[in-house]
Amino acid sequence: MNTLIKQLNDFAGTNRNIVYSLFRHYIRLNKTFMLYSDINFEYKNFFQPDIEEAVQDGPLEKLIANAQVAVFYSPWIYLFIRTGIAQSRYLKYHMDDVVFTEVDVTEYLAFEEKVSSGNPHSDSWMLEIDLTPFNRGFPRMKETKSIGRGVEFLNRYLSNRMFIDLERSGQHLLDFLRLHHANGKQLMLSANIMDLDELQQNLREIQKYLENHDEDSDRKDHEDKLRELGFEDGWGHNVRTMLDGFYLLSDILEAPSPKNLEKFLAAIPMIFKVVILSPHGYFGQSNVLGLPDTGGQVVYILDQVRALEKHMRSSLQEAGLDIEPQIIVITRLIPNAGETTCDQPRENINGTSNAKILRIPFRNKNGDIVPEWISRFRIWPYLEQFSFDAEREILTELQGRPDLVIGNYSDGNLVASLLAERMGVTQCNIAHALEKTKYLFSALKWKEYEESYHFSAQFTADLISMNTADFIITSTYQEIAGDKNVIGQYESYSAFTMPDLYRVVNGVNVFDPKFNIVSPGADADVYFPYYEHDRRLNDLHPDIERLIFDEDLDYAVGSLKEADKPIIFSMARLDHVKNISGLVEWYGKHNELREQANLLLVAGFVDESLSKDEEEIVQIRKIYKLIDTYKLEGRIRWVEKQSYKNFNGELYRYVADKKGIFVQPALFEAFGLTVIEAMSTGLPTFATCNGGPLEIIQNNVSGFHIDPDRGNEAAETISKFFSMCREDETYWKKISGNAIKRVEDHYTWKLYAARLMTLSRVYGFWKYVSNLERDETRRYLQMFYGLMYKNLVNDINK
């Protein structure tokens, strides 16, 4: 960094007029804050038509290319730059002196606070949150390519520690294996094996014994010998699987390797009971998708449960245990739940043997049940009591503690933190999407957003749950650390300020090995290729055609006069971030695209009187206005949300039959489940470049990236695709086939479930052998929760 400062000041010394004029151009724009895209746009605009040769590829150009935020108050300009992924630095520049200086994060954030307040000369004390001291001595990754691969790093770290001190580490592993019980039965190792020498001796003896027997013979045939040597149930259902485990353990105790350690830990039967938390929205199996706060995360969790139960049952059988796994989804009971089942306290999950939904009501301060749906932005005051009520239900239902608690979204992760701490179990967090990066300067301008979104409570809850979680899984790398140009969702929590509330100088470290990428899939029984005709749900086609073309349908707007045209299809919740209205505007402005294809939207309500969501109502009005402005009648069909997965799966395929496409135009998308669904059916997909779809789709190979901030370019990309399809009849099938293959190779629930269970076991072991209780961190976060979070939520919903 010092090299960069020297290079910048040397450049400014010899090109003083260029540097001064450029920054004077920025200041004359009269913008207090500018983000990456605007900083770079104005840089290019300043040097039009050609960038001066002295500037090209020089330190000034590199500075602008790396600048994430610029804060202006003449004569000072402060810059937040990323010299690389997850590598943040802060500079200030003085217009009169034409000098660059490096500053620390505290000074930079303090300048943001002063400028945002309109009084940059003021000084006031701010609470600073800094978790750095609590993490000293904990292993951290150093390479950006390792971010999101925490379990691989941990396995290397643990195996290296074991190699250095086999005696001590081997004893830790022995003690860990003796911890495991199920239904009152001891598993893995008995207390009779007292030390490492005895374990290794008994391992040699049991291997020699089993090697002389048929590898397919049942474990029960050898039970007496196993028990005699201290080996309890859980090693396998037959000789072959038992020997695999014994060989692995012997190798680990002799010369541990990361691969063998992970493989061994992944086979230990230690996860029997799982609790999954998802408090907000309408959580149900039908009639809920598209309702406020209810979308992809519900589909994700239900598919997750089915995959986990299947994997857990299979792995327990492989371990030789006749134990039925138990999975409970804890969500909110909504008495006034409309045509959904969200008013039912219990509901078995379809496609599972033993998984269920338990719904627990929110209660107000008087203990009365809250009957109505509440926005995810306003549920924070209810979560603590919800966690206590949930705990009682969980202990009753499971007849004991769970082995793993999985939180979903910000609210579910906070409840998971509270439950995991009280019950002493492993905690996994899944954010799905963090609001902080969705809204411009959401932290800095939190007061402006507070009445509608209550970000102060949400961001505080996020900080707490991120730092209490034993491990965090994300769907993509982008979610953690972004890319070379855009900051990641989790990375955005490393340093930020909420003026007059608190300043975070180190909130989360994305190099922490708790982060892991585990991508979900789509339900293969529902979302399968359009050409698998024997599986097609042809009986639904009359209903689909009625949905798209019937002008008398009371929950649809618009009509398609030229039914033979291909369809541009989009399906999402109707909110600002999903940007459905943006797609309508792109389409309306592009004359050629309007001639090439029809536009089909399945989103929200078409009648604003039916919506309770203020943000949705704004979008409804906006779409009606756009239809009128661009005279889209006859070219657009807008249909109310559809809640049935099988229907939606066949709808994707129907659009594919017409050689249509799927467009996901979101301003930001953490993952993009609809992208996976559409690609699974073979529908060529155009999706936002902001977030997960950037990794899911190989641009121009298995789909297309579009920039939602460049709507005209996005429309042109779509139009070009249809033109190419007219010129080359094989082009549509080429993109379609590549999309299907991409999903099959990388995005399936079978892969997901196996990886999640492996992580749960590895982090359980890591927590045990490292004494990773983080008592100091926990106490600090408890204070933060009690003194900050609880005060922030008191005024919500008053």
Side-chain angles (χ1 to χ4, degrees):
M1 184 60 195
N2 291 332
T3 301
L4 176 59
I5 292 292
K6 184 178 185 306
Q7 290 174 344
L8 283 167
N9 285 325
D10 288 347
F11 180 87
T14 56
N15 300 275
R16 182 185 181 94
N17 187 56
I18 292 175
V19 177
Y20 177 83
S21 298
L22 172 64
F23 283 101
R24 185 169 179 267
H25 169 73
Y26 282 122
I27 287 177
R28 291 179 67 181
L29 295 171
N30 291 320
K31 293 183 178 181
T32 308
F33 296 91
M34 290 180 68
L35 288 174
Y36 169 83
S37 58
D38 290 331
I39 295 169
N40 280 273
F41 176 80
E42 290 299 335
Y43 176 80
K44 294 173 184 176
N45 187 46
F46 175 77
F47 283 109
Q48 288 295 337
D50 297 307
I51 295 176
E52 296 187 30
E53 186 174 343
V55 178
Q56 286 184 341
D57 298 322
L60 181 64
E61 187 167 275
K62 291 178 182 177
L63 173 71
I64 298 301
N66 292 329
Q68 292 292 306
V69 181
V71 189
F72 301 96
Y73 192 87
S74 185
W76 288 107
I77 299 171
Y78 277 63
L79 296 163
F80 159 35
I81 66 171
R82 291 171 86 227
T83 54
I85 291 174
Q87 297 174 6
S88 300
R89 296 291 186 270
Y90 306 91
L91 306 181
K92 64 180 178 182
Y93 170 81
H94 195 280
M95 287 292 296
D96 296 335
D97 298 336
V98 195
V99 171
F100 293 91
T101 309
E102 183 177 5
V103 300
D104 62 21
V105 61
T106 294
E107 181 178 340
Y108 171 80
L109 293 175
F111 189 73
E112 278 195 346
E113 294 156 10
K114 293 175 183 180
V115 171
S116 68
S117 71
N119 186 7
H121 304 293
S122 66
D123 286 302
S124 59
W125 183 86
M126 278 279 287
L127 170 66
E128 278 197 353
I129 305 300
D130 185 359
L131 290 164
T132 304
F134 302 108
N135 294 320
R136 291 186 183 128
F138 282 60
R140 289 287 183 275
M141 299 175 290
K142 296 180 180 179
E143 301 297 328
T144 55
K145 65 182 180 181
S146 297
I147 292 172
R149 297 163 59 185
V151 75
E152 297 174 32
F153 172 83
L154 269 190
N155 287 330
R156 291 194 300 271
Y157 179 82
L158 288 169
S159 60
N160 184 57
R161 277 180 49 175
M162 293 183 74
F163 189 85
I164 293 171
D165 189 355
L166 272 174
E167 185 69 28
R168 182 179 179 184
S169 297
Q171 187 64 42
H172 280 320
L173 182 55
L174 186 156
D175 294 339
F176 180 72
L177 291 173
R178 291 192 302 200
L179 285 178
H180 303 298
H181 298 76
N183 299 335
K185 286 184 63 175
Q186 176 69 39
L187 300 179
M188 305 306 289
L189 292 182
S190 73
N192 296 333
I193 299 181
M194 301 301 296
D195 57 43
L196 195 58
D197 288 339
E198 184 178 1
L199 174 59
Q200 289 179 301
Q201 174 60 38
N202 289 8
L203 276 170
R204 287 190 286 270
E205 189 171 342
I206 194 61
Q207 289 172 51
K208 184 177 180 180
Y209 168 81
L210 292 175
E211 285 166 352
N212 291 318
H213 291 82
D214 182 357
E215 66 175 14
D216 292 322
S217 62
D218 195 272
R219 173 193 61 83
K220 293 180 181 178
D221 297 336
H222 311 283
E223 200 168 68
D224 291 342
K225 186 63 175 180
L226 289 163
R227 293 253 163 80
E228 175 190 326
L229 294 173
F231 298 107
E232 301 289 345
D233 293 351
W235 289 95
H237 71 287
N238 61 16
V239 168
R240 182 177 60 255
T241 54
M242 288 189 292
L243 277 174
D244 287 344
F246 291 138
Y247 288 152
L248 279 172
L249 182 55
S250 295
D251 288 343
I252 290 166
L253 296 176
E254 183 71 23
S257 71
K259 183 178 180 181
N260 283 345
L261 182 61
E262 178 175 320
K263 190 174 180 181
F264 178 73
L265 293 174
I268 296 176
M270 52 189 285
I271 308 294
F272 310 100
K273 303 173 182 179
V274 177
V275 168
I276 298 174
L277 292 145
S278 182
H280 79 262
Y282 291 81
F283 195 99
Q285 300 181 82
S286 61
N287 298 327
V288 298
L289 296 182
L291 291 175
D293 294 340
T294 309
Q297 85 274 15
V298 174
V299 177
Y300 178 111
I301 293 169
L302 291 172
D303 287 344
Q304 175 196 54
V305 168
R306 296 182 186 101
L308 284 178
E309 186 189 71
K310 186 176 182 179
H311 177 82
M312 289 170 68
R313 182 177 294 109
S314 174
S315 62
L316 289 172
Q317 290 173 352
E318 188 77 2
L321 299 175
D322 185 19
I323 297 174
E324 180 66 20
Q326 292 178 273
I327 303 177
I328 302 173
V329 176
I330 301 291
T331 188
R332 185 199 162 197
L333 183 140
I334 307 173
N336 296 343
E339 297 180 359
T340 76
T341 58
C342 296
D343 58 347
Q344 297 179 14
R346 301 170 64 90
E347 184 178 352
N348 293 328
I349 295 178
N350 300 330
T352 70
S353 298
N354 198 36
K356 56 182 68 68
I357 301 168
L358 293 186
R359 297 188 178 90
I360 296 162
F362 284 168
R363 296 181 183 275
N364 59 30
K365 291 181 179 179
N366 298 324
D368 298 329
I369 291 175
V370 179
E372 302 290 344
W373 164 83
I374 297 173
S375 163
R376 70 183 189 276
F377 298 116
R378 307 185 71 86
I379 67 173
W380 305 103
Y382 303 103
L383 296 181
E384 183 175 295
Q385 185 58 51
F386 179 83
S387 76
F388 285 113
D389 294 341
E391 184 177 7
R392 285 191 292 270
E393 292 291 334
I394 291 167
L395 294 174
T396 300
E397 182 68 30
L398 298 180
Q399 297 183 338
R401 300 182 307 169
D403 303 301
L404 174 67
V405 172
I406 303 174
N408 288 274
Y409 201 72
S410 296
D411 47 280
N413 289 331
L414 181 67
V415 177
S417 297
L418 298 174
L419 287 172
E421 181 181 334
R422 291 202 298 266
M423 295 192 290
V425 300
T426 302
Q427 175 191 348
C428 168
N429 280 10
I430 308 174
H432 296 284
L434 293 163
E435 302 289 346
K436 190 168 176 295
T437 52
K438 290 183 180 180
Y439 298 81
L440 292 179
F441 299 111
S442 57
L444 190 65
K445 299 180 179 181
W446 70 276
K447 292 179 183 177
E448 298 176 26
Y449 288 113
E450 192 69 358
E451 184 175 351
S452 298
Y453 299 115
H454 300 284
F455 285 150
S456 63
Q458 182 161 359
F459 298 167
T460 304
D462 286 335
L463 280 173
I464 292 168
S465 63
M466 287 174 190
N467 285 285
T468 57
D470 294 300
F471 67 101
I472 296 170
I473 67 172
T474 69
S475 298
T476 63
Y477 183 97
Q478 305 279 323
E479 208 174 323
I480 308 170
D483 59 31
K484 65 179 181 179
N485 297 324
V486 179
I487 194 168
Q489 290 186 65
Y490 279 96
E491 185 187 357
S492 75
Y493 282 80
S494 60
F496 66 94
T497 182
M498 290 193 283
D500 299 323
L501 192 60
Y502 60 81
R503 175 192 304 150
V504 177
V505 297
N506 187 354
V508 68
N509 188 336
V510 297
F511 289 94
D512 193 309
K514 69 170 57 180
F515 287 100
N516 291 273
I517 300 166
V518 186
S519 299
D523 187 340
D525 292 328
V526 175
Y527 304 102
F528 53 85
Y530 69 97
Y531 51 71
E532 294 187 10
H533 299 291
D534 292 343
R535 301 176 65 190
R536 293 288 298 268
L537 307 177
N538 295 318
D539 290 346
L540 293 177
H541 285 201
D543 289 336
I544 289 173
E545 290 171 354
R546 181 169 174 261
L547 186 84
I548 298 175
F549 299 112
D550 188 345
E551 297 184 20
D552 295 326
L553 203 64
D554 59 5
Y555 53 87
V557 169
S559 61
L560 302 180
K561 299 301 184 185
E562 298 179 67
D564 58 331
K565 283 184 178 181
I567 292 173
I568 300 170
F569 175 39
S570 191
M571 179 166 57
R573 290 196 312 275
L574 201 55
D575 61 27
H576 168 72
V577 173
K578 293 300 184 183
N579 197 33
I580 294 295
S581 60
L583 173 58
V584 177
E585 187 167 11
W586 307 345
Y587 178 78
K589 286 182 175 180
H590 201 286
N591 294 331
E592 186 176 358
L593 186 57
R594 292 203 310 267
E595 294 301 321
Q596 290 171 315
N598 292 318
L599 179 60
L600 171 65
L601 310 175
V602 176
F605 289 104
V606 298
D607 181 351
E608 69 173 77
S609 67
L610 299 176
S611 178
K612 302 175 184 178
D613 190 317
E614 293 177 7
E615 196 168 320
E616 183 177 57
I617 290 170
V618 170
Q619 293 299 308
I620 292 171
R621 292 172 179 172
K622 188 174 181 180
I623 291 175
Y624 275 113
K625 185 176 180 180
L626 289 167
I627 291 172
D628 289 340
T629 299
Y630 296 106
K631 298 179 174 55
L632 298 180
E633 177 58 41
R635 303 177 186 272
I636 187 172
R637 178 73 162 181
W638 173 22
V639 183
E640 193 174 285
K641 61 187 178 296
Q642 301 298 302
S643 300
Y644 295 100
K645 286 203 309 180
N646 286 319
F647 184 89
N648 289 337
E650 193 59 30
L651 179 56
Y652 283 121
R653 287 184 289 271
Y654 184 90
V655 175
D657 290 338
K658 297 182 77 65
K659 294 297 182 284
I661 65 169
F662 182 78
V663 179
Q664 204 267 35
L667 301 178
F668 181 86
E669 186 65 51
F671 179 60
L673 198 55
T674 55
V675 171
I676 294 292
E677 292 170 356
M679 291 172 68
S680 297
T681 64
L683 200 52
T685 299
F686 296 70
T688 179
C689 63
N690 297 332
L694 192 65
E695 293 177 39
I696 296 170
I697 292 174
Q698 302 156 296
N699 195 35
N700 296 316
V701 177
S702 56
F704 302 88
H705 300 151
I706 53 175
D707 187 344
D709 295 319
R710 300 283 185 265
N712 292 338
E713 294 176 14
E716 182 61 29
T717 299
I718 297 169
S719 176
K720 183 180 178 182
F721 172 81
F722 284 119
S723 296
M724 292 183 70
C725 289
R726 281 201 310 271
E727 295 169 8
D728 180 358
E729 294 182 355
T730 67
Y731 187 65
W732 187 95
K733 285 190 175 182
K734 176 183 174 182
I735 300 297
S736 172
N738 289 342
I740 292 168
K741 187 175 188 305
R742 177 70 174 170
V743 172
E744 289 176 345
D745 289 348
H746 297 281
Y747 301 98
T748 70
W749 281 111
K750 183 177 181 180
L751 293 171
Y752 174 99
R755 197 61 180 159
L756 178 54
M757 286 294 99
T758 296
L759 293 173
S760 303
R761 296 174 179 119
V762 172
Y763 282 93
F765 176 63
W766 162 244
K767 188 173 183 177
Y768 176 79
V769 300
S770 62
N771 295 316
L772 194 58
E773 295 302 328
R774 304 194 187 194
D775 286 338
E776 298 87 351
T777 308
R778 183 167 54 84
R779 289 297 185 188
Y780 184 77
L781 294 170
Q782 284 176 342
M783 181 174 64
F784 191 42
Y785 177 88
L787 299 181
M788 180 61 68
Y789 174 82
K790 293 192 73 166
N791 284 332
L792 290 172
V793 304
N794 280 339
D795 294 332
I796 299 176
N797 297 334
K798 277 189 176 179

